Each structure stands twice: as structure tokens, then as C-alpha cells.
Amino acid sequence: MSENRLRLEGVCRDYGTVKAVDNVDLIVEQGEFLVLLGPSGSGKTTLLSMMGGFTEPSSGKIYIGQEDITDMPPASRPTVTVFQDYALFPHMSVYDNVAFGLTMHKVSKNERTRRVEESLEKVGLKGFEGRGIHQLSGGQRQRVALARAIAVEPAVLLLDEPLGALDLKIRHQMQEELVHLQKSLNTTFVHVTHDQDEAMSMADNIALINHGKIMDYGPPERIYLRPANRFTANFMGDSNMIEATITSQQDGSASVASPFGVFEIPCQFQSGTEVSIIWRPEQIRVGSDYPSEGVVHLGEAKVLEVVFQGTHRQCHVRCGAKMDHDLLVKVSPRNPVVSGDMLEIYAFESDAVILTD
Ligand code: ADP
Ligand code: MG
């Protein structure tokens, strides 16, 4: 269904010489959960704020469905924004906070009561109508802000780091609840975060932003496992990058010269191309009983440091033909590896991401 599709075309926002948002094209389908992910200062808030109508683009167009909303004031748009600091009215009850937007939209009293009750139920706050905001925990306050937002039944809900102020456990719980809520409403959500784990656990699609530009866009699995560039590979968790040069190419299999000697890897780049070969720490395997096909043997590695992390042990190892290349390797928490140990390491060709940027 495309009637409420949110579409940005060549959207820019400059602040003096700073390009806060730089020529963004983006489509968010009706009912999609899009996450805008990026480091602090990358332009996420500015981008979201242009979708909500609080910031005017320097150039470009924004559409919902067929309608050009670029110059439409926030209150006339079918969008609602939820902020990190909740922006609740501290002296009003939960009920009045949730009813506020409906009163503004001149919704009748009966309909208002119905929608407030329904929204509070959806966020798990049934029975809290009469409470004061100061009588609520951080998580409950954020639920009130959400209830207030969904009560007006927006086509697009915009969320700017809405879970940023919550502690980790509540945050994880709210991540799940938000996704559940979004799926049950089938409303389009655009959710801003700087946390890649949060983005991966919530998004249908991630738009990864840096310096106001979309660096990579797609489903979390693709972004994590097949990053389009080095920025994405680095931002989406730990990566091992091995710099190498293609020395020959035949039928989609290349020989590469690397700090690990010469090995074969499937790829299509021409001889002479400089590439980065990337394996995630969990993709570096330990042991000598590896399959004879489809594996790159990375040789011996000396363990420099081991950090126990519950689900795994993270090892910093030194390896390569000249023992001058460092890698991060994740091993099972049951593996009793200690610093000073020598490991045999390898990786699957099919796990390798090969980049030229
Ligand atoms: P994020 O939300 O990803 O942290 P922002 O969108 O807030 O990033 O900011 C992007 C860039 O635009 C930053 O360099 C920031 O300093 C600048 N910026 C944002 N808002 C303003 C403003 N009102 N005036 C001047 N510069 C701004
Ligand atoms: Mg921000």
C-alpha cells in the first residue's frame, strides 16, 4: 500500500557551512519500521525534524502519498513526533496528557475518551488515567508520550531517541514493546537512535547516516553481514579488516596478496585492485579441523588478551605471516583460552566482505 508512503527527494539542510542533511533521497513504506542510525551530530534529528515540519529544508521535497508536505506546518501534517525528554505536561494527569492532542484536533468528547482509553491500554497503562506525571517511572512516562502520540492516529510516527533516557533493562523491554505496537497499529514509524544494537533489533530497514548523508540502507541483516562500505562495517560492530591486493583474477576467483600471505577468494575485482577483506570477530574460527574447501587458512595466532563477556570470550590475537597483524576473535565461553596461548585460525570465504572504498 503506497497511499501513506513517506518520500524525501534531494532533501538538504544547511546551517552556515555545515551540511546537517546532505541530499537525502528516502522512501518509507506505509507500515514500515525505519530506523535512522548514525553517530552523534550525523544529522538524524535534523532529518526527522524536517519530516515532522519543525525544520525547513534548505532544498528538496517531502511527500506523504501524493501530497507535497514540504511547506506544511507540523500541526497540519499527518505526523506526530515523540521526543527523548517526553515533553509531557507535568501538572496534568495521564488522561489529560493523552487527551491533549485530541482536544487540539477538536475530537468529540466521547471519541476522545474512547481513544485515550484505547491508547493507554495499547501501551500497557490501563488504570493509570488519574495519575500525575511525577508519580510515574521513566519507562511509564515514555509510555504516556507514546499513548499521546498514537491517540491522534498519525500516518507516520516520528521518534527521536525515545528510549535514550531509560536504563538498559527497561530499554530492551521498550524496544520489544515498540515493535509490537508498531506491527499491531500498522503505522509507519521512523525511529532515531545512535545505538546499532537497538537499530538491528527493531528495524525493518536501517538508514545509516554520517555527515548528513545516507551511507547504507537496507534490512539489518544485510547491513550487518554485507556492509556496503567501511563506514558501515565499522559502525555496525567490530570488524577485522585485512588490506590486500588482487594479484590475479580468473572466473570469479582472485588471488590476493595480504599480510596472511597469498590466498584465493571468490570476487570479481581486476588484478591490481586494492581491497579490504572483512570478517567479523565471530567469523574468525579457531581450530585445525576445518573443511578442505571454502576456507581461508589464516595460520597461527598468539593470544594477547582475553575478555570474558558472558556469551563469548573476546580475544585480541596477533597473527599474519610476519606476526604483525592484530585481529579480534570471539570464542565460546567454554573455551579455556588464556593470553599467551597459540591458536590456529581460519575463516569461511562465504563470510568475507570485500570492499574497495
Ligand atoms: P544528530 O541528531 O545525528 O546528533 P543533528 O541533526 O542534531 O545530529 O545535527 C547535525 C549537525 O547540524 C551538527 O553538526 C549540528 O551541530 C548541526 N545543527 C543542528 N541543528 C542546528 C542548529 N539549529 N543550528 C546550527 N547547527 C545545527
Ligand atoms: Mg539528535
Side-chain angles (χ1 to χ4, degrees), residues 39-46 84 160-161 192:
S40 175
S42 57
K44 306 179 297 294
T45 293
T46 307
Q84 177 177 343
D160 195 356
E161 312 231 14
V192 165

Side-chain angles (χ1 to χ4, degrees), residues 279 281-291 294-300 327 329 343-349 351:
W279 281 289
E282 64 272 22
Q283 292 170 334
I284 307 282
R285 322 276 165 151
V286 173
S288 49
D289 55 344
Y290 45 84
V295 158
V296 177
H297 186 212
L298 296 168
E300 295 240 282
L327 297 178
V329 181
L343 304 173
E344 188 124 357
I345 57 172
Y346 65 95
F348 286 97
E349 290 174 352
D351 286 338

Side-chain angles (χ1 to χ4, degrees), residues 147-163:
R148 183 176 62 185
I150 63 174
V152 300
E153 299 176 351
V156 181
L157 189 55
L158 306 169
L159 304 115
D160 195 356
E161 312 231 14
L163 310 180

Side-chain angles (χ1 to χ4, degrees), residues 235-342:
F235 195 80
M236 299 305 291
D238 294 317
S239 284
N240 292 301
M241 296 212 184
I242 298 171
E243 307 305 330
T245 307
I246 311 270
T247 53
S248 68
Q249 164 69 246
Q250 200 175 21
D251 303 330
S253 181
S255 264
V256 296
S258 82
F260 294 84
V262 174
F263 59 83
E264 298 278 321
I265 195 137
C267 69
Q268 285 287 3
F269 301 111
Q270 290 194 338
S271 191
T273 310
E274 313 234 318
V275 296
S276 302
I277 302 172
I278 298 173
W279 281 289
R280 298 276 180 198
E282 64 272 22
Q283 292 170 334
I284 307 282
R285 322 276 165 151
V286 173
S288 49
D289 55 344
Y290 45 84
S292 56
E293 300 260 315
V295 158
V296 177
H297 186 212
L298 296 168
E300 295 240 282
K302 181 171 184 163
V303 178
L304 300 182
E305 202 185 357
V306 185
V307 181
F308 180 70
Q309 297 193 315
T311 52
H312 61 273
R313 284 178 209 273
Q314 178 142 302
C315 306
H316 178 179
V317 304
R318 186 150 294 165
C319 44
K322 295 184 185 153
M323 287 305 267
D324 62 353
H325 201 282
D326 289 3
L327 297 178
L328 280 179
V329 181
K330 281 185 184 174
V331 303
S332 156
R334 291 203 188 81
N335 187 332
V337 61
V338 291
S339 60
D341 284 357
M342 294 301 290

